[in-house]
PDB file of all heavy atoms in Angstrom:
ATOM      1  N   TYR A   1      12.183 -12.981   2.617  1.00  0.00           N
ATOM      2  CA  TYR A   1      11.760 -12.894   4.011  1.00  0.00           C
ATOM      3  C   TYR A   1      10.323 -12.416   4.105  1.00  0.00           C
ATOM      4  O   TYR A   1       9.567 -12.865   4.972  1.00  0.00           O
ATOM      5  CB  TYR A   1      12.696 -11.966   4.797  1.00  0.00           C
ATOM      6  CG  TYR A   1      13.862 -12.684   5.408  1.00  0.00           C
ATOM      7  CD1 TYR A   1      15.034 -12.888   4.677  1.00  0.00           C
ATOM      8  CD2 TYR A   1      13.811 -13.189   6.699  1.00  0.00           C
ATOM      9  CE1 TYR A   1      16.119 -13.563   5.227  1.00  0.00           C
ATOM     10  CE2 TYR A   1      14.884 -13.853   7.263  1.00  0.00           C
ATOM     11  CZ  TYR A   1      16.029 -14.039   6.520  1.00  0.00           C
ATOM     12  OH  TYR A   1      17.097 -14.722   7.062  1.00  0.00           O
ATOM     13  N   ALA A   2       9.941 -11.514   3.193  1.00  0.00           N
ATOM     14  CA  ALA A   2       8.563 -11.023   3.196  1.00  0.00           C
ATOM     15  C   ALA A   2       7.589 -12.104   2.747  1.00  0.00           C
ATOM     16  O   ALA A   2       6.466 -12.216   3.244  1.00  0.00           O
ATOM     17  CB  ALA A   2       8.447  -9.800   2.287  1.00  0.00           C
ATOM     18  N   ARG A   3       8.021 -12.939   1.803  1.00  0.00           N
ATOM     19  CA  ARG A   3       7.136 -13.953   1.236  1.00  0.00           C
ATOM     20  C   ARG A   3       6.985 -15.172   2.141  1.00  0.00           C
ATOM     21  O   ARG A   3       5.913 -15.759   2.233  1.00  0.00           O
ATOM     22  CB  ARG A   3       7.671 -14.384  -0.129  1.00  0.00           C
ATOM     23  CG  ARG A   3       6.740 -15.299  -0.905  1.00  0.00           C
ATOM     24  CD  ARG A   3       7.353 -15.729  -2.213  1.00  0.00           C
ATOM     25  NE  ARG A   3       7.696 -14.596  -3.047  1.00  0.00           N
ATOM     26  CZ  ARG A   3       8.384 -14.693  -4.195  1.00  0.00           C
ATOM     27  NH1 ARG A   3       8.796 -15.876  -4.605  1.00  0.00           N
ATOM     28  NH2 ARG A   3       8.652 -13.626  -4.899  1.00  0.00           N
ATOM     29  N   TYR A   4       8.073 -15.570   2.787  1.00  0.00           N
ATOM     30  CA  TYR A   4       8.036 -16.818   3.552  1.00  0.00           C
ATOM     31  C   TYR A   4       8.122 -16.610   5.067  1.00  0.00           C
ATOM     32  O   TYR A   4       7.289 -17.102   5.817  1.00  0.00           O
ATOM     33  CB  TYR A   4       9.190 -17.731   3.095  1.00  0.00           C
ATOM     34  CG  TYR A   4       9.153 -18.034   1.619  1.00  0.00           C
ATOM     35  CD1 TYR A   4      10.112 -17.509   0.760  1.00  0.00           C
ATOM     36  CD2 TYR A   4       8.156 -18.831   1.073  1.00  0.00           C
ATOM     37  CE1 TYR A   4      10.085 -17.777  -0.606  1.00  0.00           C
ATOM     38  CE2 TYR A   4       8.116 -19.112  -0.283  1.00  0.00           C
ATOM     39  CZ  TYR A   4       9.081 -18.584  -1.114  1.00  0.00           C
ATOM     40  OH  TYR A   4       9.040 -18.840  -2.458  1.00  0.00           O
ATOM     41  N   SER A   5       9.136 -15.885   5.517  1.00  0.00           N
ATOM     42  CA  SER A   5       9.362 -15.750   6.955  1.00  0.00           C
ATOM     43  C   SER A   5       8.311 -14.887   7.642  1.00  0.00           C
ATOM     44  O   SER A   5       7.897 -15.184   8.760  1.00  0.00           O
ATOM     45  CB  SER A   5      10.760 -15.168   7.222  1.00  0.00           C
ATOM     46  OG  SER A   5      11.756 -16.044   6.762  1.00  0.00           O
ATOM     47  N   LEU A   6       7.916 -13.795   6.974  1.00  0.00           N
ATOM     48  CA  LEU A   6       6.978 -12.871   7.599  1.00  0.00           C
ATOM     49  C   LEU A   6       5.638 -13.521   7.943  1.00  0.00           C
ATOM     50  O   LEU A   6       5.177 -13.412   9.088  1.00  0.00           O
ATOM     51  CB  LEU A   6       6.774 -11.644   6.711  1.00  0.00           C
ATOM     52  CG  LEU A   6       6.052 -10.456   7.356  1.00  0.00           C
ATOM     53  CD1 LEU A   6       6.835  -9.945   8.558  1.00  0.00           C
ATOM     54  CD2 LEU A   6       5.874  -9.327   6.333  1.00  0.00           C
ATOM     55  N   PRO A   7       4.984 -14.216   7.001  1.00  0.00           N
ATOM     56  CA  PRO A   7       3.712 -14.869   7.352  1.00  0.00           C
ATOM     57  C   PRO A   7       3.863 -15.881   8.488  1.00  0.00           C
ATOM     58  O   PRO A   7       3.007 -15.955   9.379  1.00  0.00           O
ATOM     59  CB  PRO A   7       3.303 -15.558   6.046  1.00  0.00           C
ATOM     60  CG  PRO A   7       3.991 -14.793   4.984  1.00  0.00           C
ATOM     61  CD  PRO A   7       5.302 -14.390   5.577  1.00  0.00           C
ATOM     62  N   PHE A   8       4.964 -16.648   8.457  1.00  0.00           N
ATOM     63  CA  PHE A   8       5.181 -17.664   9.488  1.00  0.00           C
ATOM     64  C   PHE A   8       5.384 -17.029  10.860  1.00  0.00           C
ATOM     65  O   PHE A   8       4.744 -17.418  11.847  1.00  0.00           O
ATOM     66  CB  PHE A   8       6.398 -18.522   9.128  1.00  0.00           C
ATOM     67  CG  PHE A   8       6.825 -19.465  10.226  1.00  0.00           C
ATOM     68  CD1 PHE A   8       6.101 -20.619  10.482  1.00  0.00           C
ATOM     69  CD2 PHE A   8       7.937 -19.194  11.005  1.00  0.00           C
ATOM     70  CE1 PHE A   8       6.482 -21.490  11.492  1.00  0.00           C
ATOM     71  CE2 PHE A   8       8.327 -20.047  12.015  1.00  0.00           C
ATOM     72  CZ  PHE A   8       7.593 -21.204  12.259  1.00  0.00           C
ATOM     73  N   ASN A   9       6.275 -16.035  10.935  1.00  0.00           N
ATOM     74  CA  ASN A   9       6.576 -15.413  12.221  1.00  0.00           C
ATOM     75  C   ASN A   9       5.409 -14.614  12.775  1.00  0.00           C
ATOM     76  O   ASN A   9       5.192 -14.579  13.992  1.00  0.00           O
ATOM     77  CB  ASN A   9       7.822 -14.525  12.094  1.00  0.00           C
ATOM     78  CG  ASN A   9       9.111 -15.315  12.141  1.00  0.00           C
ATOM     79  OD1 ASN A   9       9.595 -15.699  13.201  1.00  0.00           O
ATOM     80  ND2 ASN A   9       9.666 -15.586  10.969  1.00  0.00           N
ATOM     81  N   ILE A  10       4.657 -13.969  11.893  1.00  0.00           N
ATOM     82  CA  ILE A  10       3.471 -13.239  12.348  1.00  0.00           C
ATOM     83  C   ILE A  10       2.434 -14.205  12.904  1.00  0.00           C
ATOM     84  O   ILE A  10       1.785 -13.926  13.918  1.00  0.00           O
ATOM     85  CB  ILE A  10       2.877 -12.391  11.202  1.00  0.00           C
ATOM     86  CG1 ILE A  10       3.763 -11.174  10.943  1.00  0.00           C
ATOM     87  CG2 ILE A  10       1.458 -11.934  11.542  1.00  0.00           C
ATOM     88  CD1 ILE A  10       3.302 -10.300   9.798  1.00  0.00           C
ATOM     89  N   SER A  11       2.286 -15.354  12.248  1.00  0.00           N
ATOM     90  CA  SER A  11       1.323 -16.353  12.732  1.00  0.00           C
ATOM     91  C   SER A  11       1.749 -16.932  14.074  1.00  0.00           C
ATOM     92  O   SER A  11       0.910 -17.341  14.879  1.00  0.00           O
ATOM     93  CB  SER A  11       1.164 -17.474  11.703  1.00  0.00           C
ATOM     94  OG  SER A  11       2.372 -18.215  11.568  1.00  0.00           O
ATOM     95  N   ILE A  12       3.054 -16.957  14.329  1.00  0.00           N
ATOM     96  CA  ILE A  12       3.574 -17.520  15.578  1.00  0.00           C
ATOM     97  C   ILE A  12       3.636 -16.471  16.685  1.00  0.00           C
ATOM     98  O   ILE A  12       3.177 -16.704  17.813  1.00  0.00           O
ATOM     99  CB  ILE A  12       4.985 -18.118  15.362  1.00  0.00           C
ATOM    100  CG1 ILE A  12       4.929 -19.321  14.426  1.00  0.00           C
ATOM    101  CG2 ILE A  12       5.616 -18.514  16.698  1.00  0.00           C
ATOM    102  CD1 ILE A  12       4.296 -20.554  15.009  1.00  0.00           C
ATOM    103  N   PHE A  13       4.166 -15.286  16.372  1.00  0.00           N
ATOM    104  CA  PHE A  13       4.448 -14.296  17.408  1.00  0.00           C
ATOM    105  C   PHE A  13       3.559 -13.057  17.372  1.00  0.00           C
ATOM    106  O   PHE A  13       3.684 -12.191  18.231  1.00  0.00           O
ATOM    107  CB  PHE A  13       5.915 -13.843  17.308  1.00  0.00           C
ATOM    108  CG  PHE A  13       6.910 -14.946  17.512  1.00  0.00           C
ATOM    109  CD1 PHE A  13       7.646 -15.441  16.448  1.00  0.00           C
ATOM    110  CD2 PHE A  13       7.105 -15.495  18.768  1.00  0.00           C
ATOM    111  CE1 PHE A  13       8.572 -16.460  16.624  1.00  0.00           C
ATOM    112  CE2 PHE A  13       8.026 -16.513  18.966  1.00  0.00           C
ATOM    113  CZ  PHE A  13       8.750 -17.002  17.899  1.00  0.00           C
ATOM    114  N   GLY A  14       2.700 -12.946  16.376  1.00  0.00           N
ATOM    115  CA  GLY A  14       1.891 -11.740  16.248  1.00  0.00           C
ATOM    116  C   GLY A  14       2.550 -10.736  15.316  1.00  0.00           C
ATOM    117  O   GLY A  14       3.733 -10.858  14.972  1.00  0.00           O
ATOM    118  N   THR A  15       1.812  -9.721  14.920  1.00  0.00           N
ATOM    119  CA  THR A  15       2.287  -8.776  13.897  1.00  0.00           C
ATOM    120  C   THR A  15       3.527  -7.997  14.326  1.00  0.00           C
ATOM    121  O   THR A  15       4.532  -7.962  13.609  1.00  0.00           O
ATOM    122  CB  THR A  15       1.167  -7.781  13.531  1.00  0.00           C
ATOM    123  OG1 THR A  15       0.016  -8.508  13.105  1.00  0.00           O
ATOM    124  CG2 THR A  15       1.628  -6.858  12.415  1.00  0.00           C
ATOM    125  N   LYS A  16       3.482  -7.365  15.490  1.00  0.00           N
ATOM    126  CA  LYS A  16       4.572  -6.493  15.919  1.00  0.00           C
ATOM    127  C   LYS A  16       5.869  -7.256  16.167  1.00  0.00           C
ATOM    128  O   LYS A  16       6.913  -6.944  15.574  1.00  0.00           O
ATOM    129  CB  LYS A  16       4.160  -5.744  17.189  1.00  0.00           C
ATOM    130  CG  LYS A  16       5.186  -4.718  17.647  1.00  0.00           C
ATOM    131  CD  LYS A  16       4.689  -3.980  18.886  1.00  0.00           C
ATOM    132  CE  LYS A  16       5.727  -2.973  19.383  1.00  0.00           C
ATOM    133  NZ  LYS A  16       5.256  -2.261  20.595  1.00  0.00           N
ATOM    134  N   LEU A  17       5.823  -8.256  17.041  1.00  0.00           N
ATOM    135  CA  LEU A  17       7.029  -9.007  17.371  1.00  0.00           C
ATOM    136  C   LEU A  17       7.487  -9.845  16.180  1.00  0.00           C
ATOM    137  O   LEU A  17       8.692  -9.958  15.915  1.00  0.00           O
ATOM    138  CB  LEU A  17       6.775  -9.914  18.578  1.00  0.00           C
ATOM    139  CG  LEU A  17       7.962 -10.766  19.035  1.00  0.00           C
ATOM    140  CD1 LEU A  17       9.146  -9.882  19.404  1.00  0.00           C
ATOM    141  CD2 LEU A  17       7.563 -11.649  20.219  1.00  0.00           C
ATOM    142  N   GLY A  18       6.538 -10.440  15.441  1.00  0.00           N
ATOM    143  CA  GLY A  18       6.888 -11.250  14.277  1.00  0.00           C
ATOM    144  C   GLY A  18       7.635 -10.440  13.236  1.00  0.00           C
ATOM    145  O   GLY A  18       8.641 -10.902  12.663  1.00  0.00           O
ATOM    146  N   THR A  19       7.169  -9.210  12.977  1.00  0.00           N
ATOM    147  CA  THR A  19       7.834  -8.333  12.009  1.00  0.00           C
ATOM    148  C   THR A  19       9.224  -7.947  12.487  1.00  0.00           C
ATOM    149  O   THR A  19      10.190  -7.924  11.709  1.00  0.00           O
ATOM    150  CB  THR A  19       6.999  -7.053  11.780  1.00  0.00           C
ATOM    151  OG1 THR A  19       5.691  -7.418  11.327  1.00  0.00           O
ATOM    152  CG2 THR A  19       7.666  -6.152  10.761  1.00  0.00           C
ATOM    153  N   LYS A  20       9.347  -7.642  13.769  1.00  0.00           N
ATOM    154  CA  LYS A  20      10.641  -7.274  14.348  1.00  0.00           C
ATOM    155  C   LYS A  20      11.646  -8.429  14.214  1.00  0.00           C
ATOM    156  O   LYS A  20      12.812  -8.213  13.863  1.00  0.00           O
ATOM    157  CB  LYS A  20      10.464  -6.900  15.820  1.00  0.00           C
ATOM    158  CG  LYS A  20      11.710  -6.316  16.462  1.00  0.00           C
ATOM    159  CD  LYS A  20      11.491  -6.027  17.938  1.00  0.00           C
ATOM    160  CE  LYS A  20      10.445  -4.947  18.142  1.00  0.00           C
ATOM    161  NZ  LYS A  20      10.322  -4.591  19.580  1.00  0.00           N
ATOM    162  N   ILE A  21      11.192  -9.639  14.477  1.00  0.00           N
ATOM    163  CA  ILE A  21      12.057 -10.819  14.378  1.00  0.00           C
ATOM    164  C   ILE A  21      12.533 -11.029  12.940  1.00  0.00           C
ATOM    165  O   ILE A  21      13.705 -11.328  12.686  1.00  0.00           O
ATOM    166  CB  ILE A  21      11.322 -12.072  14.892  1.00  0.00           C
ATOM    167  CG1 ILE A  21      11.234 -12.023  16.428  1.00  0.00           C
ATOM    168  CG2 ILE A  21      12.023 -13.356  14.446  1.00  0.00           C
ATOM    169  CD1 ILE A  21      10.405 -13.135  17.029  1.00  0.00           C
ATOM    170  N   VAL A  22      11.627 -10.855  11.989  1.00  0.00           N
ATOM    171  CA  VAL A  22      11.972 -11.032  10.577  1.00  0.00           C
ATOM    172  C   VAL A  22      13.011 -10.000  10.139  1.00  0.00           C
ATOM    173  O   VAL A  22      13.984 -10.333   9.450  1.00  0.00           O
ATOM    174  CB  VAL A  22      10.716 -10.934   9.690  1.00  0.00           C
ATOM    175  CG1 VAL A  22      11.105 -10.849   8.214  1.00  0.00           C
ATOM    176  CG2 VAL A  22       9.822 -12.143   9.908  1.00  0.00           C
ATOM    177  N   ILE A  23      12.826  -8.745  10.533  1.00  0.00           N
ATOM    178  CA  ILE A  23      13.752  -7.680  10.148  1.00  0.00           C
ATOM    179  C   ILE A  23      15.149  -7.943  10.709  1.00  0.00           C
ATOM    180  O   ILE A  23      16.157  -7.848   9.990  1.00  0.00           O
ATOM    181  CB  ILE A  23      13.235  -6.310  10.637  1.00  0.00           C
ATOM    182  CG1 ILE A  23      11.970  -5.922   9.861  1.00  0.00           C
ATOM    183  CG2 ILE A  23      14.310  -5.239  10.465  1.00  0.00           C
ATOM    184  CD1 ILE A  23      11.295  -4.667  10.382  1.00  0.00           C
ATOM    185  N   ILE A  24      15.218  -8.291  11.983  1.00  0.00           N
ATOM    186  CA  ILE A  24      16.517  -8.552  12.628  1.00  0.00           C
ATOM    187  C   ILE A  24      17.217  -9.740  11.981  1.00  0.00           C
ATOM    188  O   ILE A  24      18.420  -9.691  11.673  1.00  0.00           O
ATOM    189  CB  ILE A  24      16.325  -8.788  14.140  1.00  0.00           C
ATOM    190  CG1 ILE A  24      15.878  -7.491  14.818  1.00  0.00           C
ATOM    191  CG2 ILE A  24      17.633  -9.290  14.774  1.00  0.00           C
ATOM    192  CD1 ILE A  24      15.488  -7.655  16.267  1.00  0.00           C
ATOM    193  N   ASN A  25      16.474 -10.811  11.748  1.00  0.00           N
ATOM    194  CA  ASN A  25      17.066 -12.002  11.132  1.00  0.00           C
ATOM    195  C   ASN A  25      17.515 -11.733   9.698  1.00  0.00           C
ATOM    196  O   ASN A  25      18.559 -12.238   9.261  1.00  0.00           O
ATOM    197  CB  ASN A  25      16.072 -13.165  11.166  1.00  0.00           C
ATOM    198  CG  ASN A  25      16.115 -13.934  12.466  1.00  0.00           C
ATOM    199  OD1 ASN A  25      16.842 -14.917  12.590  1.00  0.00           O
ATOM    200  ND2 ASN A  25      15.353 -13.490  13.452  1.00  0.00           N
ATOM    201  N   SER A  26      16.748 -10.949   8.966  1.00  0.00           N
ATOM    202  CA  SER A  26      17.092 -10.666   7.572  1.00  0.00           C
ATOM    203  C   SER A  26      18.368  -9.832   7.481  1.00  0.00           C
ATOM    204  O   SER A  26      19.176 -10.030   6.573  1.00  0.00           O
ATOM    205  CB  SER A  26      15.940  -9.947   6.865  1.00  0.00           C
ATOM    206  OG  SER A  26      15.700  -8.668   7.439  1.00  0.00           O
ATOM    207  N   ILE A  27      18.551  -8.926   8.418  1.00  0.00           N
ATOM    208  CA  ILE A  27      19.764  -8.095   8.426  1.00  0.00           C
ATOM    209  C   ILE A  27      21.006  -8.951   8.623  1.00  0.00           C
ATOM    210  O   ILE A  27      22.004  -8.828   7.896  1.00  0.00           O
ATOM    211  CB  ILE A  27      19.675  -7.016   9.522  1.00  0.00           C
ATOM    212  CG1 ILE A  27      18.634  -5.961   9.136  1.00  0.00           C
ATOM    213  CG2 ILE A  27      21.045  -6.351   9.737  1.00  0.00           C
ATOM    214  CD1 ILE A  27      18.339  -4.958  10.228  1.00  0.00           C
ATOM    215  N   PHE A  28      20.962  -9.845   9.608  1.00  0.00           N
ATOM    216  CA  PHE A  28      22.131 -10.703   9.874  1.00  0.00           C
ATOM    217  C   PHE A  28      22.350 -11.718   8.755  1.00  0.00           C
ATOM    218  O   PHE A  28      23.496 -12.062   8.439  1.00  0.00           O
ATOM    219  CB  PHE A  28      21.976 -11.399  11.223  1.00  0.00           C
ATOM    220  CG  PHE A  28      22.280 -10.511  12.397  1.00  0.00           C
ATOM    221  CD1 PHE A  28      21.261  -9.960  13.159  1.00  0.00           C
ATOM    222  CD2 PHE A  28      23.587 -10.209  12.733  1.00  0.00           C
ATOM    223  CE1 PHE A  28      21.531  -9.133  14.235  1.00  0.00           C
ATOM    224  CE2 PHE A  28      23.883  -9.372  13.808  1.00  0.00           C
ATOM    225  CZ  PHE A  28      22.851  -8.840  14.557  1.00  0.00           C
ATOM    226  N   ALA A  29      21.271 -12.200   8.145  1.00  0.00           N
ATOM    227  CA  ALA A  29      21.403 -13.110   7.005  1.00  0.00           C
ATOM    228  C   ALA A  29      22.049 -12.387   5.822  1.00  0.00           C
ATOM    229  O   ALA A  29      22.894 -12.946   5.118  1.00  0.00           O
ATOM    230  CB  ALA A  29      20.034 -13.656   6.611  1.00  0.00           C
ATOM    231  N   PHE A  30      21.642 -11.148   5.605  1.00  0.00           N
ATOM    232  CA  PHE A  30      22.197 -10.318   4.532  1.00  0.00           C
ATOM    233  C   PHE A  30      23.704 -10.127   4.733  1.00  0.00           C
ATOM    234  O   PHE A  30      24.498 -10.278   3.790  1.00  0.00           O
ATOM    235  CB  PHE A  30      21.473  -8.971   4.528  1.00  0.00           C
ATOM    236  CG  PHE A  30      21.983  -8.007   3.500  1.00  0.00           C
ATOM    237  CD1 PHE A  30      21.618  -8.114   2.175  1.00  0.00           C
ATOM    238  CD2 PHE A  30      22.828  -6.968   3.872  1.00  0.00           C
ATOM    239  CE1 PHE A  30      22.085  -7.219   1.226  1.00  0.00           C
ATOM    240  CE2 PHE A  30      23.298  -6.063   2.935  1.00  0.00           C
ATOM    241  CZ  PHE A  30      22.936  -6.189   1.607  1.00  0.00           C
ATOM    242  N   LEU A  31      24.109  -9.804   5.955  1.00  0.00           N
ATOM    243  CA  LEU A  31      25.523  -9.613   6.255  1.00  0.00           C
ATOM    244  C   LEU A  31      26.305 -10.905   6.054  1.00  0.00           C
ATOM    245  O   LEU A  31      27.424 -10.891   5.542  1.00  0.00           O
ATOM    246  CB  LEU A  31      25.690  -9.116   7.690  1.00  0.00           C
ATOM    247  CG  LEU A  31      25.154  -7.711   7.992  1.00  0.00           C
ATOM    248  CD1 LEU A  31      25.246  -7.419   9.486  1.00  0.00           C
ATOM    249  CD2 LEU A  31      25.916  -6.666   7.186  1.00  0.00           C
ATOM    250  N   GLY A  32      25.705 -12.032   6.446  1.00  0.00           N
ATOM    251  CA  GLY A  32      26.358 -13.319   6.279  1.00  0.00           C
ATOM    252  C   GLY A  32      26.580 -13.664   4.816  1.00  0.00           C
ATOM    253  O   GLY A  32      27.655 -14.154   4.433  1.00  0.00           O
ATOM    254  N   ASP A  33      25.581 -13.417   3.972  1.00  0.00           N
ATOM    255  CA  ASP A  33      25.712 -13.698   2.539  1.00  0.00           C
ATOM    256  C   ASP A  33      26.768 -12.799   1.895  1.00  0.00           C
ATOM    257  O   ASP A  33      27.542 -13.258   1.048  1.00  0.00           O
ATOM    258  CB  ASP A  33      24.364 -13.488   1.831  1.00  0.00           C
ATOM    259  CG  ASP A  33      23.381 -14.609   2.131  1.00  0.00           C
ATOM    260  OD1 ASP A  33      23.833 -15.759   2.281  1.00  0.00           O
ATOM    261  OD2 ASP A  33      22.172 -14.337   2.231  1.00  0.00           O
ATOM    262  N   LEU A  34      26.793 -11.530   2.282  1.00  0.00           N
ATOM    263  CA  LEU A  34      27.801 -10.615   1.748  1.00  0.00           C
ATOM    264  C   LEU A  34      29.212 -11.075   2.110  1.00  0.00           C
ATOM    265  O   LEU A  34      30.123 -11.052   1.274  1.00  0.00           O
ATOM    266  CB  LEU A  34      27.570  -9.202   2.287  1.00  0.00           C
ATOM    267  CG  LEU A  34      26.493  -8.355   1.605  1.00  0.00           C
ATOM    268  CD1 LEU A  34      26.400  -6.999   2.283  1.00  0.00           C
ATOM    269  CD2 LEU A  34      26.779  -8.194   0.122  1.00  0.00           C
ATOM    270  N   PHE A  35      29.393 -11.484   3.341  1.00  0.00           N
ATOM    271  CA  PHE A  35      30.699 -11.976   3.781  1.00  0.00           C
ATOM    272  C   PHE A  35      31.085 -13.229   2.987  1.00  0.00           C
ATOM    273  O   PHE A  35      32.245 -13.393   2.600  1.00  0.00           O
ATOM    274  CB  PHE A  35      30.672 -12.292   5.273  1.00  0.00           C
ATOM    275  CG  PHE A  35      31.970 -12.864   5.789  1.00  0.00           C
ATOM    276  CD1 PHE A  35      33.045 -12.031   6.060  1.00  0.00           C
ATOM    277  CD2 PHE A  35      32.113 -14.233   5.988  1.00  0.00           C
ATOM    278  CE1 PHE A  35      34.238 -12.550   6.524  1.00  0.00           C
ATOM    279  CE2 PHE A  35      33.309 -14.757   6.451  1.00  0.00           C
ATOM    280  CZ  PHE A  35      34.376 -13.918   6.722  1.00  0.00           C
TER     281      PHE A  35
END
């Protein structure tokens, strides 16, 4: 997420919101993979 999603989302939404979106998405993706 840091390597791919973060640069993309920051470029689209800006640093603050882009980082927040990446963190939230990564948490739910992590839970999905564990399940």
Side-chain angles (χ1 to χ4, degrees):
Y1 270 87
R3 188 182 302 173
Y4 303 110
S5 296
L6 192 61
F8 171 76
N9 280 280
I10 286 178
S11 66
I12 294 289
F13 299 108
T15 304
K16 185 178 178 181
L17 180 59
T19 302
K20 188 183 295 185
I21 286 174
V22 169
I23 292 173
I24 292 172
N25 275 268
S26 64
I27 289 172
F28 282 103
F30 178 79
L31 293 174
D33 286 326
L34 279 179
F35 177 79

